[in-house]
Amino acid sequence: MIVVMKVDSGQKEIDDILKRLAEEGLTGHLSKGMERTVIGVVGQAYPELRDMLELLPGVAEVIPITKPYKLSSREFQPQDTVIKVGDLAIGGEELVVIAGPCAVESEEQVLETARAVKAAGANILRGGAFKPSTSPYGFRGLGEEGLKILAQAREETGLPIITEVLGPKEVDLVLRYADILQVGARNMQNFVLLDEVGKANKPVMLKRGMSATIQEWLLSAEYILSQGNRQLMLCERGIRTFETYTRNTMDVSAIPIIEKVSHLPIIADPSHSTGKWYLVAPLALAAVAAGADGLMIEVHPSPDHALKDGAQSLTFDNFQRLMAQLVGVVASLGRKMAGGTNG
Ligand code: PEP
Ligand code: MN
């Protein structure tokens, strides 16, 4: 349930409610919006609690949240979450583009890609240093050396970096280098990892599990939020269906659904959603038209030599072409490209 505070209520009333909730073995999560201040109540509440809370000074009303996810719901927080990364705002009016190789392979590969995607207007550099690999014989990443290469690319281009953290033990290490932590599809329900990134003081991007329902995805988001980390964005990266033509099926409808039921920013990843480079641009445009706050696109200097995901990686030229196409779609929605790109 959520406790909606009266407009003229003060900090003392809020503190008293939080204290009272703690006495009942419950946790109160505060959300201060432009229009109202609410306290989300998390834990096993008993039926009379609602009446009791409504009697407390400063309380306007107590509304039950019917959904199993609470802190990620629009009921708890009507206004959009906007995440600041340097000058960049993710989840606001502007479309944010994340681009880079699937995996960090070498210094040259990352620096070359970082320069090219920056010149084309990308806002954030991606690259995996710790790679989840379906086969133990596949490329599993350069580890810390890869993180150092990403940091070097940030130094040179000024682009913030996002990179995957594969396990709870690596969170501290990845935090030393990354601007945004990525939790991959295969780890969406790694609850120990979710708890750990929930304690971090850096933004997190949670990818949708390949067989996860929207509700399961939001419940995973809830793990991170309930640990105190509110700098969370979601990423639709395609789900498994009976179709084998594409690597996954991009659930475009998940984008407006997330927008409706949650305040969290939603990023679309047409690269992993399709597995085919020539499907990336059409699906990227569709995702933006559907309301995505950002895109994540795999780009490689030479996709046919890529150690991972070459088939779905764009060349520099194709990435630049996509950026130019995006400008028109974004403008038609009355939005802007972040960083002032005009193609
Ligand atoms: C990735 O973005 O590098 C990745 C491994 O994607 P996913 O977790 O969506 O498969
Ligand atoms: Mn990849």
Side-chain angles (χ1 to χ4, degrees):
M1 64 185 78
I2 55 172
V3 180
V4 182
M5 301 301 293
K6 287 184 181 150
V7 240
D8 59 0
S9 63
Q11 193 57 43
K12 159 105 179 65
E13 280 112 343
I14 293 172
D15 289 344
D16 285 349
I17 293 169
L18 293 174
K19 204 165 132 226
R20 185 63 197 261
L21 290 171
E23 283 165 15
E24 303 285 347
L26 301 162
T27 319
H29 295 264
L30 194 63
S31 165
K32 283 191 175 177
M34 295 279 274
E35 278 158 32
R36 59 177 201 172
T37 296
V38 306
I39 300 171
V41 181
V42 174
Q44 281 301 336
Y46 51 91
E48 299 79 22
L49 183 75
R50 184 176 170 191
D51 297 338
M52 185 276 283
L53 289 172
E54 262 176 350
L55 294 174
L56 296 179
V59 174
E61 59 177 331
V62 178
I63 309 170
I65 298 186
T66 45
K67 313 233 171 46
Y69 48 88
K70 314 281 177 199
L71 304 176
S72 54
S73 74
R74 278 249 183 239
E75 288 160 297
F76 171 60
Q77 184 185 308
Q79 76 277 10
D80 291 337
T81 284
V82 178
I83 301 168
K84 295 285 230 176
V85 180
D87 295 338
L88 207 57
I90 306 170
E93 275 306 294
E94 300 184 334
L95 180 84
V96 171
V97 178
I98 305 168
C102 177
V104 173
E105 298 169 10
S106 69
E107 185 181 314
E108 192 191 359
Q109 170 237 19
V110 171
L111 288 179
E112 208 188 322
T113 311
R115 288 180 204 124
V117 299
K118 174 161 182 167
N123 313 106
I124 298 171
L125 178 68
R126 66 148 287 146
F130 293 94
K131 291 303 303 175
S133 174
T134 303
S135 159
Y137 311 120
F139 181 56
R140 295 169 71 178
L142 297 182
E144 187 169 7
E145 191 196 332
L147 297 175
K148 287 185 178 154
I149 293 173
L150 287 169
Q152 200 185 330
R154 170 179 52 207
E155 182 97 340
E156 192 194 301
T157 60
L159 291 176
I161 53 182
I162 178 169
T163 195
E164 179 160 356
V165 54
L166 262 189
K169 284 198 280 228
E170 275 103 47
V171 173
D172 283 343
L173 173 66
V174 178
L175 273 173
R176 267 184 256 140
Y177 295 91
D179 299 288
I180 306 171
L181 300 176
Q182 176 172 322
V183 175
R186 289 156 192 80
N187 266 325
M188 191 204 82
Q189 286 189 319
N190 182 339
F191 302 119
V192 183
L193 177 63
L194 300 180
D195 277 343
E196 281 311 304
V197 299
K199 289 178 202 144
N201 190 18
K202 282 234 172 114
V204 174
M205 186 176 84
L206 176 65
K207 297 191 94 175
R208 181 178 183 179
M210 58 188 87
S211 304
T213 63
I214 290 173
Q215 182 162 306
E216 287 162 345
W217 188 16
L218 287 169
L219 282 168
S220 289
E222 206 71 15
Y223 269 84
I224 298 170
L225 296 169
S226 63
Q227 288 294 334
N229 192 345
R230 301 287 180 84
Q231 304 180 81
L232 177 62
M233 63 193 101
L234 301 172
C235 177
E236 164 62 40
R237 47 78 72 206
I239 48 174
R240 282 231 169 132
T241 66
F242 54 81
E243 183 56 72
T244 53
Y245 191 91
T246 45
R247 183 176 181 181
N248 292 289
T249 299
M250 183 155 158
D251 184 6
V252 181
S253 59
I255 297 164
I257 292 171
I258 292 295
E259 188 80 27
K260 179 173 151 56
V261 303
S262 175
H263 51 85
L264 298 172
I266 172 80
I267 310 295
D269 170 353
S271 308
H272 292 89
S273 288
T274 62
K276 291 187 158 80
W277 71 268
Y278 57 87
L279 295 177
V280 170
L283 269 296
L285 297 169
V288 173
D293 295 295
L295 292 170
M296 177 180 251
I297 312 282
E298 286 189 339
V299 179
H300 195 282
S302 175
D304 50 343
H305 291 103
L307 293 182
K308 232 172 165 65
D309 290 352
Q312 67 193 36
S313 298
L314 297 191
T315 58
F316 297 164
D317 280 353
N318 282 335
F319 179 66
Q320 201 183 9
R321 215 164 286 138
L322 168 60
M323 291 299 281
Q325 288 177 308
L326 284 169
V327 174
V329 175
V330 165
S332 75
L333 297 165
R335 298 179 66 197
K336 285 194 179 121
M337 305 285 286
T341 322
N342 51 23

